[in-house]
Amino acid sequence: MKLNVRRRKKLVHLDLKGAPPRAEYLYKLIELFSQLGADGLLVEYEDMFPYEGELKLLQATTHPAYSQEEVLSMQNFAKSMGMEIIPLVQTFGHMEFVLKHRSLWSLREVPYCVGTLNPHKEESVRLVMEMLRQVVKLHPDLNTLHIGADEVYTLGEGDESKLWLATPGHTVEKLFLSHVTKLARAIREEWPHISIIMWDDMMRGMSHDTLKASHLVGLVQPMLWNYTPDLDVEITVSLLEKYHSAGMTDLWAASSFKGSTSVYTCVPSTLRHVDNHLQWLKVAASLSAGVTLKGIAVTGWQRYDHLSVLCELMPVALPSLASCLQTLSFGHFNAEARAAVTERLGVTSVEMEEIERLPYRSSADDSLFPGRRLAELIVELSTSLNSDDIRFFESDMFVRGWFSPYHRRRKLVTPLITMQVHSKALGILTTLQQKVDAMREEMMCLFPDATVQEWIEEHVHPVMAPLRRITEEIRACVKEMQLCS
């Protein structure tokens, strides 16, 4: 069953809390998203939004936030492509980029959870509303706003929450609903025309009666997220129908094309994410009459949260995104859908790791697949970094047999063999460095310098450091035996 393009929106999620694309590359991505069938962007700015005044401290410091002109230009460009922009601003959980700042520590629910806002302080609502005002002001054509509210960890554990919960009838569920309702009412009062979307996970365990009695009904549109390839269709359908019967009739789904396999995945598996979308199509087909989805957000997480490592960069995930969007359009992922992906991107496979590499070309020559050169270099480098020869270098027979920790401590080695080990390690390091340099040059064209450095420190340094250490220790041992100057 197809997710009817005319009736249901397909949003592509831009997670900018890590590896924010340079403006020129961002425009190329937006154009591609539109060509692939997306009709909206769910933009999670976090610290890349140009907050002003007392909120200026929320801007990124490792690289410049987007300017007001860039944010407006992005919207205008997306609009010219027929795409709607929906900002996603976290307002309860996952506020790490806000609550990490010392001046705002007092607004945490508990000191040790950087992401959850204290719902009892008036300053908390005032802070969130000021964030929203600045975002809404810079989106003059805004019709829909996503307020996050997922994974509100440790809610109810703060001293003020414990006091509140001591009152008979008060529960953590009601505490959550109270804050979100207060916020949603404030938004509706200030901007009556704006529709409000929120993540659903904090409401999944709530009863039908609790939801129906909540004042959220008529205020918010739940977006149910599930990113797994084995999504349970029956459970998901029952959740959506529970929300609908409780009065929340405007419902959304959220799938994933990257950033949901593991916190440190470097290259996504396209078929894993396609399977997630095939399951969502089964959900859409299984809903009772009268229960429909307004649309689906195809999420592409760049970090699990503000303080975690980078997930897959956008270029290596474009074949996955294209495949997921075509799955939604075709209603399946057969040979026809695959061909639509490979022809559109000019590739030989839907799996990034299996795509046949093209001869070297400039980064400007990527009209079909923006960032393809970088994607190929990342795959090549990642393959090398994860090869057995490198990962298990210290398990090599000659290393374990003639340059063990025992030998290193005593600086007593067989130079003939250890210098062969040194030569092999040095050769690997030289080859890796050449690949790193090529990748760095290409990545700097598309992403901030800080992103390049972070990616290298996360993926490259932990692999190269042991090899460098071995070469240094061998030279020290050989020198100790007066066989080397």
Side-chain angles (χ1 to χ4, degrees), residues 13-308:
H13 174 229
L14 271 178
D15 182 10
L16 302 175
K17 60 177 168 279
R22 295 189 187 275
E24 298 80 5
Y25 184 49
L26 186 57
Y27 298 149
K28 292 181 180 180
L29 290 173
I30 293 173
E31 183 174 10
L32 176 64
F33 298 163
S34 175
Q35 292 168 350
L36 291 172
D39 49 18
L41 294 174
L42 181 62
V43 184
E44 189 163 359
Y45 291 101
E46 277 226 355
D47 58 1
M48 286 303 294
F49 188 80
Y51 288 106
E52 296 183 303
E54 63 180 2
L55 298 185
K56 191 169 184 178
L57 84 165
L58 302 185
Q59 289 190 27
T61 55
T62 56
H63 46 257
Y66 292 124
S67 66
Q68 292 189 5
E69 291 73 23
E70 286 173 327
V71 171
L72 289 170
S73 179
M74 175 186 69
Q75 293 173 69
N76 290 333
F77 185 75
K79 187 176 180 180
S80 74
M81 296 282 110
M83 301 179 76
E84 176 186 8
I85 299 285
I86 300 177
L88 193 166
V89 183
Q90 287 287 4
T91 57
F92 204 172
H94 280 308
M95 293 189 67
E96 292 91 352
F97 85 102
V98 177
L99 300 177
K100 71 178 182 180
H101 296 284
R102 182 178 292 272
S103 61
L104 299 172
W105 285 1
S106 63
L107 298 184
R108 297 178 188 175
E109 168 71 344
V110 290
Y112 51 85
C113 183
V114 185
T116 297
L117 191 69
N118 182 329
H120 305 279
K121 295 182 181 292
E122 286 301 319
E123 178 64 16
S124 294
V125 175
R126 194 193 72 79
L127 168 68
V128 168
M129 285 303 296
E130 180 55 29
M131 291 168 61
L132 294 176
R133 285 189 191 98
Q134 293 196 21
V135 170
V136 172
K137 181 179 179 182
L138 208 56
H139 291 76
D141 298 323
L142 188 65
N143 293 312
T144 306
L145 179 68
H146 196 309
I147 61 170
D150 59 318
E151 298 179 333
V152 187
Y153 302 129
T154 72
L155 181 63
E157 296 180 17
D159 291 340
E160 289 170 277
S161 288
K162 289 178 179 177
L163 186 63
W164 188 88
L165 291 169
T167 301
H170 283 189
T171 64
V172 173
E173 290 181 349
K174 290 182 178 179
L175 178 57
F176 172 81
L177 292 170
S178 173
H179 174 77
V180 178
T181 301
K182 181 190 297 184
L183 182 62
R185 282 175 168 169
I187 293 171
R188 182 61 57 84
E189 183 176 338
E190 192 151 346
W191 305 288
H193 68 286
I194 290 182
S195 298
I196 305 168
I197 299 174
M198 64 177 285
W199 298 119
D200 83 298
D201 54 285
M202 294 296 293
M203 299 186 292
R204 290 179 190 175
M206 297 183 189
S207 69
H208 169 275
D209 292 342
T210 297
L211 289 171
K212 191 167 186 177
S214 79
H215 299 291
L216 274 182
V217 174
L219 282 177
V220 300
Q221 302 174 5
M223 180 176 277
L224 196 158
W225 58 269
N226 190 310
Y227 311 139
T228 61
D230 56 352
L231 176 157
D232 190 305
V233 174
E234 184 178 348
I235 290 176
T236 305
V237 168
S238 67
L239 278 172
L240 288 167
E241 295 191 346
K242 178 178 73 172
Y243 297 147
H244 187 273
S245 64
M248 298 178 175
T249 54
D250 291 321
L251 301 167
W252 294 78
S255 56
S256 169
F257 73 94
K258 80 177 188 76
S260 59
T261 302
S262 78
V263 70
Y264 50 78
T265 300
C266 190
V267 181
S269 162
T270 291
L271 293 185
R272 172 187 171 87
H273 295 288
V274 164
D275 284 345
N276 174 240
H277 288 77
L278 290 172
Q279 292 301 98
W280 270 113
L281 287 170
K282 291 178 184 178
V283 169
S286 303
L287 291 170
S288 300
V291 182
T292 59
L293 296 171
K294 286 180 68 69
I296 186 168
V298 185
T299 66
W301 299 98
Q302 195 52 71
R303 300 185 193 275
Y304 275 28
D305 65 48
H306 181 75
L307 300 174
S308 67

Side-chain angles (χ1 to χ4, degrees), residues 328-375:
L328 295 177
S329 294
F330 281 88
H332 44 67
F333 196 61
N334 60 6
E336 184 184 9
R338 285 174 181 265
V341 174
T342 55
E343 290 173 14
R344 176 61 195 82
L345 296 181
V347 294
T348 54
S349 171
V350 298
E351 293 288 359
M352 190 63 235
E353 291 181 327
E354 298 174 5
I355 289 174
E356 182 179 338
R357 285 197 57 186
L358 294 178
Y360 178 79
R361 55 183 184 163
S362 70
S363 58
D365 185 23
D366 61 358
S367 57
L368 292 179
F369 183 160
R372 176 172 179 173
R373 172 68 179 162
L374 174 58

Side-chain angles (χ1 to χ4, degrees), residues 306-317:
H306 181 75
L307 300 174
S308 67
V309 297
L310 292 170
C311 299
E312 309 97 308
L313 297 184
M314 183 64 78
V316 295

